[in-house]
Amino acid sequence: MRYLKFVILFIVMCFPVLTMTVKGGANTCIYSLLLLSLVYFVFQRKQDAFSFSYLLRKYWPMHLAMAGMIFAILVNQISTSDFFLKTYDTSSRLAFFLPITWLLLQISASDLKLFQWGLVAGAVGSAIKIEWIGLNQSSMPGIIDFMNRIPYGDVSLMLGILSLLSIGWNRRGDKFSVAIKTMGGISGIYASYLSEARGGWIALPILAFVILSMLNKTKLNHRFAIFAIALILMVSTYSFNKIIQDRVHAAASDITKYVDGENQDTSVGIRFQLWRGSWVLFKEHPVFGVGREEFYPDALQDLAKRHVITQQATDFGHSHNEFFYNMATLGIFGLLAILAIFFVPGYYFLQATRHSDRDIKTAGRMGLTLCLGFLIFGLTEAIFFMPAICAFFSMSVAVCFAFVVKRKEALASS
């Protein structure tokens, strides 16, 4: 571990920025950590305090939740007797949480704090990249290099918020680090703004309220003042920014056209169709779902023939909603799996936010914000449809969770 430690920390620090700027960067990082965990498992000379079996027994709800989607896919394929290994590929990155967390637990909590600078680099890198791609273009393209602009904007926003939350790891009076992390926060929000991803913008006031509610050491009137200032800034940004106004007005217009039956094939209208169609599929296949791969597109074509959705809506590979997509494709097992992915880690992180130690509290806030943020993103996008996003979420949750566990161990032994 003395030799592997620096490689592991390098990956932990680099994966946020590589996720946003390099095609295959997130996948390379998660597979590298998986390989290193296997190497260490084989060649370790002594049994560590956090043995693999101990971690599995003590925190089995976490591991079951992160591997739940794999189980849901397996149940669906058993029900249909059609087995496709490719179907497991994307969700397997969530299941890698167990070996990666075990590997990270072999490193000290203070070393794991390097993750905070990866968050800042990721936020700044995403802002630079999207600014460069949008340069000299009349409108932002639908694909930011290798990633759809909606999840790109969502993850950029999350990187910015996590950069700000990591200020809790600073030494008191460290104004330089606060300035750097504030720059990361602004960069992430700016990248989200450039992406024009409206779903991510919905998360901003909700996350702001939740984060402020977690600042229980701050006086109530101070928290109210901070929230009021944030609210004023958001309202002012909307009032004086034409891009945001146009996007919000376009959404309102799309909803009106859909309700009036004037045009169902607008951006928002197609989402509503896919949600309705997914609900129909879930009611018709409530236990196992219709399946993934070619089964879901075939099911959409059938819905179009039955005039449940329009033909144009069948061109999309998912439901533009994480919950509806898993309900339609994997039935009740898919719904339970996606709920577990958000709420089981969220429970552990919520407990950490109530700890007396400032570092544990900060890691808990970061982890809880990750879970809550991705849950909100999933309301308007199948956020885990992309392997890179699954890898980013899995590794980020693993780092925050490993830090909480290691820090508690250090406090208990001191």
Side-chain angles (χ1 to χ4, degrees), residues 79-391:
S79 71
T80 62
S81 299
D82 291 306
F83 294 91
F84 298 93
L85 288 177
K86 181 183 176 182
T87 313
Y88 297 91
D89 180 45
T90 300
S91 298
S92 66
R93 289 153 178 78
L94 297 170
F96 292 162
F97 170 84
L98 172 57
I100 288 174
T101 301
W102 174 73
L103 180 69
L104 296 176
L105 285 172
Q106 314 310 319
I107 299 174
S108 69
S110 59
D111 285 335
L112 288 175
K113 278 188 178 182
L114 286 173
F115 176 55
Q116 62 191 316
W117 304 114
L119 296 170
V120 174
V124 173
S126 64
I128 293 173
K129 181 168 185 175
I130 196 170
E131 176 71 44
W132 177 261
I133 287 177
L135 203 64
N136 300 323
Q137 297 198 42
S138 57
S139 62
M140 188 60 62
I143 302 295
I144 308 300
D145 192 9
F146 55 86
M147 191 183 298
N148 184 285
R149 73 176 182 179
I150 297 175
Y152 190 94
D154 290 345
V155 176
S156 297
L157 177 62
M158 180 55 61
L159 287 169
I161 294 174
L162 293 178
S163 296
L164 294 173
L165 285 174
S166 70
I167 291 175
W169 278 342
N170 287 5
R171 295 189 301 272
R172 298 189 184 280
D174 189 354
K175 296 181 180 179
F176 179 74
S177 293
V178 171
I180 295 296
K181 292 178 180 180
T182 301
M183 179 182 67
I186 294 172
S187 297
I189 295 171
Y190 179 65
S192 174
Y193 156 72
L194 289 180
S195 73
E196 302 178 15
R198 293 170 296 201
W201 300 346
I202 296 172
L204 260 178
I206 300 173
L207 291 176
F209 177 79
V210 171
I211 291 168
L212 285 172
S213 69
M214 290 189 288
L215 302 179
N216 49 13
K217 290 290 183 68
T218 307
K219 292 181 179 179
L220 183 61
N221 58 335
H222 290 174
R223 277 185 279 171
F224 179 78
I226 294 171
F227 183 75
I229 292 170
L231 186 61
I232 291 171
L233 286 174
M234 284 185 277
V235 172
S236 301
T237 302
Y238 170 78
S239 301
F240 297 103
N241 193 289
K242 191 174 186 303
I243 292 178
I244 295 179
Q245 289 178 3
D246 289 345
R247 292 292 287 165
V248 173
H249 292 164
S253 175
D254 288 354
I255 293 172
T256 301
K257 291 176 182 177
Y258 179 84
V259 173
D260 294 342
E262 181 182 342
N263 185 0
Q264 292 190 325
D265 290 328
T266 62
S267 176
V268 176
I270 286 177
R271 279 175 169 78
F272 285 168
Q273 288 187 67
L274 291 170
W275 298 353
R276 182 179 62 191
S278 296
W279 177 248
V280 170
L281 293 177
F282 175 68
K283 288 194 297 182
E284 295 175 350
H285 307 272
V287 181
F288 304 114
V290 299
R292 294 187 174 178
E293 298 304 323
E294 76 272 13
F295 298 109
Y296 178 72
D298 289 347
L300 290 184
Q301 290 292 341
D302 180 64
L303 290 176
K305 292 176 182 177
R306 293 153 54 187
H307 304 291
V308 176
I309 62 176
T310 64
Q311 187 61 41
Q312 187 171 337
T314 65
D315 294 336
F316 292 81
H318 55 73
S319 307
H320 271 288
N321 180 292
E322 193 66 51
F323 302 94
F324 280 132
Y325 179 64
N326 285 288
M327 289 164 62
T329 58
L330 302 175
I332 190 64
F333 291 97
L335 176 61
L336 293 175
I338 194 60
L339 290 175
I341 286 171
F342 295 132
F343 286 104
V344 174
Y347 169 79
Y348 280 99
F349 288 129
L350 180 62
Q351 295 296 104
T353 64
R354 298 170 178 171
H355 201 278
S356 58
D357 181 71
R358 185 166 177 256
D359 285 346
I360 292 176
K361 195 187 299 286
T362 297
R365 289 169 180 166
M366 292 167 67
L368 184 60
T369 301
L370 261 169
C371 296
L372 180 60
F374 272 76
L375 185 153
I376 298 171
F377 299 153
L379 296 176
T380 55
E381 179 71 7
I383 197 68
F384 292 140
F385 191 75
M386 288 186 60
I389 306 300
C390 285

Side-chain angles (χ1 to χ4, degrees), residues 8-61:
I8 296 166
L9 290 176
F10 179 77
I11 295 172
V12 166
M13 192 166 58
C14 288
F15 85 79
V17 68
L18 292 179
T19 298
M20 306 306 293
T21 60
V22 179
K23 184 177 183 179
N27 292 322
T28 299
C29 289
I30 197 167
Y31 280 117
S32 296
L33 288 177
L34 179 64
L35 177 62
L36 290 173
S37 69
L38 294 175
V39 169
Y40 184 66
F41 184 81
V42 172
F43 291 101
Q44 61 177 330
R45 293 185 176 181
K46 63 184 181 66
Q47 190 74 355
D48 297 280
F50 285 100
S51 67
F52 192 86
S53 59
Y54 173 79
L55 179 64
L56 185 60
R57 290 194 310 272
K58 185 170 179 62
Y59 299 105
W60 64 266

